[in-house]
Amino acid sequence: MANTDNQEIGKCCRAFKRLFQHFDALIHYCQQPFGTLSDVDMVNCRKIVYILDRLWRRMFQTVPPKAHAWWHLVVDLERLSGLKHHQDS
């Protein structure tokens, strides 16, 4: 019984680790100055959002309406090639 519990805990921890790593990668792209993201960066960004979306849906029974906002984020990143304001530290 304990072994099964440990396996479930490990599986859950690995899933959350992946989720957090992908959110961190997405935040990295968001923090780039306007006009600095390349086409390759945007391909990677879309891939990250796709993985985030799939992972979220597999981990949780419900998906809040705000969760689809990361797809809108991709549109903004494509339009502006970065979201960090030039005056931000």
Side-chain angles (χ1 to χ4, degrees):
M1 179 82 172
N3 192 27
T4 302
D5 291 341
N6 288 340
Q7 287 175 345
E8 278 299 309
I9 291 169
K11 182 179 176 181
C12 185
C13 288
R14 286 188 299 275
F16 272 97
K17 179 181 176 181
R18 286 187 61 215
L19 186 71
F20 295 148
Q21 287 171 330
H22 285 87
F23 272 122
D24 184 58
L26 182 59
I27 289 169
H28 166 77
Y29 286 112
C30 292
Q31 292 178 338
Q32 300 310 305
F34 296 135
T36 61
L37 294 179
S38 68
D39 291 340
V40 172
D41 291 332
M42 287 311 307
V43 167
N44 291 334
C45 188
R46 281 189 293 277
K47 184 176 175 182
I48 289 168
V49 170
Y50 175 76
I51 293 169
L52 268 174
D53 190 66
R54 287 190 61 217
L55 187 56
W56 184 282
R57 291 171 192 276
R58 289 177 68 197
M59 289 175 64
F60 303 104
Q61 292 179 359
T62 60
V63 179
K66 291 181 181 179
H68 81 281
W70 49 58
W71 290 108
H72 294 285
L73 176 64
V74 171
V75 172
D76 289 340
L77 283 173
E78 286 175 336
R79 185 168 49 91
L80 300 171
S81 297
L83 295 176
K84 183 178 181 179
H85 190 276
H86 293 290
Q87 305 302 327
D88 284 352
S89 59

